[in-house]
C-alpha cells in the first residue's frame, strides 16, 4: 500500500489506494474505521502481479473484518484461487488488461465468481464485449457457490428486480442485509425501487429518506428528486420507476 493513501472526494464514502510495495493494511484499516469508508479502489495493477501476496492480503482483510467493497486493476491472468479469495474479501469489480488468450481464461474465472468485469487488450483497445452482464440463472449459481457472501446475494436480488421477478427480491436482499452488505443505502434504495414498482410511492419516499442519512450513493439523491417531482406533478396511474443502478456504480 502507499505510505499515503489518496482518499477521493466522491459524494459518498470511497477511498483510493496507491501501491508502493508495502503490503501492510494498517493505514487502510485506519482510514476505513475513522472515515467510515464503504468502498475502496485499488488503482495499481502492479500490486496484483504477485498472486500469493494478494491472497495473503485478502485473508488479512477478512481477519481484520474490513467489510468494504472494492475494485482492482489487473494486467496478469488471474486464477481460480486468486479470484475466489478476492471476491470473498469484498472485491466487486475488475478492470483487466490482458492479451486475447489470457482474456479468455481470466473472463472464465471472473464470471464464475460474479465480478463486474471491464476487459480490454494490453494497448487499451476494447474487445467486442468490453463489459460483462449476467443472467438471472448465472446470478443464482454464483449465490449458490458463495452462499455466505453478502455481495452475491445482493447481486441476485438486483437481478431478480431487473427481470421483473419482484416477489423473489426480498429473500436474497434480506440475506445480504443480514450478512452486513456494507452499502446499506443501496439495500434501502432497492427496497424503494421495489415499493415504487408495487405502487407504494409514500413507502418508497420513506425508504429513500432513510437511505439519505450520512454519505449515501448518488443514486439515492437522484431517486429522491425523481420521486418528489413525480408526487408534485400529481403522479399518474402508471406509477414512477426509480433508478436502480447500484449494482456496479459504487466505483464510478
Amino acid at each position: 500500500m502507499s505510505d499515503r493513501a489518496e482518499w477521493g472526494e466522491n459524494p459518498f464514502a470511497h477511498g483510493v489506494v496507491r501501491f508502493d510495495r508495502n503490503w501492510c493494511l494498517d493505514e487502510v484499516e485506519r482510514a476505513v474505521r475513522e472515515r467510515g469508508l464503504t468502498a475502496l479502489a485499488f488503482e495499481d495493477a502492479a500490486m496484483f502481479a504477485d498472486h500469493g501476496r494478494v491472497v495473503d492480503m485478502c485473508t488479512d482483510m477478512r481477519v481484520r473484518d474490513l467489510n468494504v467493497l472494492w475494485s482492482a486493476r489487473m494486467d496478469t491472468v488471474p486464477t481460480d484461487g486468486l479470484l475466489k479469495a478476492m471476491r470473498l474479501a469484498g472485491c466487486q469489480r475488475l478492470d483487466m488488461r490482458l492479451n486475447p488468450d489470457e482474456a479468455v481464461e481470466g473472463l472464465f474465472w471472473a464470471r464464475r465468481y460474479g465480478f463486474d468485469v471491464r476487459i480490454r487488450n494490453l494497448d487499451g483497445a476494447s474487445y467486442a464485449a468490453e463489459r460483462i452482464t449476467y443472467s438471472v440463472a448465472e446470478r443464482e449459481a454464483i449465490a449458490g457457490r458463495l452462499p455466505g457472501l453478502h455481495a452475491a446475494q445482493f447481486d441476485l436480488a438486483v437481478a431478480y428486480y431487473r427481470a421483473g421477478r419482484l416477489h423473489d427480491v426480498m429473500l436474497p436482499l434480506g440475506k445480504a442485509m443480514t450478512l452486513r452488505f456494507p452499502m446499506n443505502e443501496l439495500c434501502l434504495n432497492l427496497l424503494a425501487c421495489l415499493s415504487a414498482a408495487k405502487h407504494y410511492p409514500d413507502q418508497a419516499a420513506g425508504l429513500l429518506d432513510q437511505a439519505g442519512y450520512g454519505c449515501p450513493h448518488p443514486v439515492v439523491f437522484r431517486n429522491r428528486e425523481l420521486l418528489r417531482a413525480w408526487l408534485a406533478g400529481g403522479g399518474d396511474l402508471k406509477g414512477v420507476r426509480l433508478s436502480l443502478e447500484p449494482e456496479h456504480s459504487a466505483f464510478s
Side-chain angles (χ1 to χ4, degrees):
M1 302 299 166
S2 65
D3 46 78
R4 176 182 171 278
E6 298 178 19
W7 309 112
E9 298 300 327
N10 302 47
F12 63 105
H14 183 178
V16 176
V17 184
R18 306 292 182 187
F19 179 48
D20 71 351
R21 304 190 182 282
N22 174 11
W23 286 81
C24 180
L25 284 174
D26 291 345
E27 184 181 358
V28 174
E29 180 180 21
R30 183 167 55 254
V32 168
R33 309 290 187 207
E34 293 177 356
R35 298 172 63 93
L37 299 177
T38 56
L40 298 172
F42 290 84
E43 284 294 293
D44 295 299
M47 70 180 296
F48 291 90
D50 187 333
H51 293 181
R53 297 185 75 180
V54 175
V55 171
D56 289 343
M57 181 190 77
C58 292
T59 301
D60 196 7
M61 291 179 75
R62 296 176 69 188
V63 169
R64 295 171 186 242
D65 193 28
L66 289 182
N67 187 25
V68 293
L69 303 179
W70 48 283
S71 63
R73 297 185 185 276
M74 303 185 70
D75 57 12
T76 56
V77 60
T79 64
D80 176 26
L82 173 68
L83 290 192
K84 183 176 182 180
M86 290 172 61
R87 188 74 160 120
L88 290 173
C91 187
Q92 282 278 87
R93 176 175 176 176
L94 297 174
D95 189 339
M96 298 193 294
R97 292 197 178 197
L98 302 170
N99 69 44
D101 291 336
E102 292 175 334
V104 172
E105 183 176 356
L107 184 57
F108 174 82
W109 294 121
R111 289 187 72 92
R112 178 172 176 80
Y113 296 113
F115 288 91
D116 173 28
V117 183
R118 184 180 184 186
I119 188 164
R120 290 172 287 175
N121 210 322
L122 294 176
D123 62 1
S126 299
Y127 289 113
E130 181 182 353
R131 297 298 295 267
I132 307 304
T133 59
Y134 293 88
S135 67
V136 170
E138 286 177 304
R139 285 296 184 196
E140 288 175 332
I142 293 161
R145 196 172 294 126
L146 302 170
L149 180 62
H150 50 53
Q153 298 295 335
F154 180 78
D155 289 344
L156 177 57
V158 170
Y160 282 146
Y161 177 84
R162 290 189 186 282
R165 293 174 53 174
L166 303 184
H167 61 287
D168 290 324
V169 170
M170 285 305 302
L171 180 59
L173 181 58
K175 288 181 180 178
M177 297 176 78
T178 299
L179 291 167
R180 298 191 306 128
F181 185 76
M183 288 188 173
N184 187 57
E185 72 270 22
L186 294 188
C187 295
L188 292 171
N189 181 71
L190 178 53
L191 284 171
C193 292
L194 188 63
S195 297
K198 293 183 175 181
H199 304 288
Y200 297 112
D202 292 336
Q203 186 177 47
L207 289 163
L208 290 172
D209 285 341
Q210 282 185 263
Y213 297 144
C215 297
H217 189 282
V219 72
V220 174
F221 294 114
R222 289 197 293 271
N223 276 341
R224 288 172 71 178
E225 291 305 311
L226 179 63
L227 187 56
R228 285 171 181 167
W230 181 83
L231 291 171
D236 58 61
L237 294 177
K238 294 181 179 179
V240 58
R241 185 170 180 83
L242 302 180
S243 175
L244 185 63
E245 68 176 86
E247 192 171 19
H248 303 306
S249 56
F251 311 108
S252 59

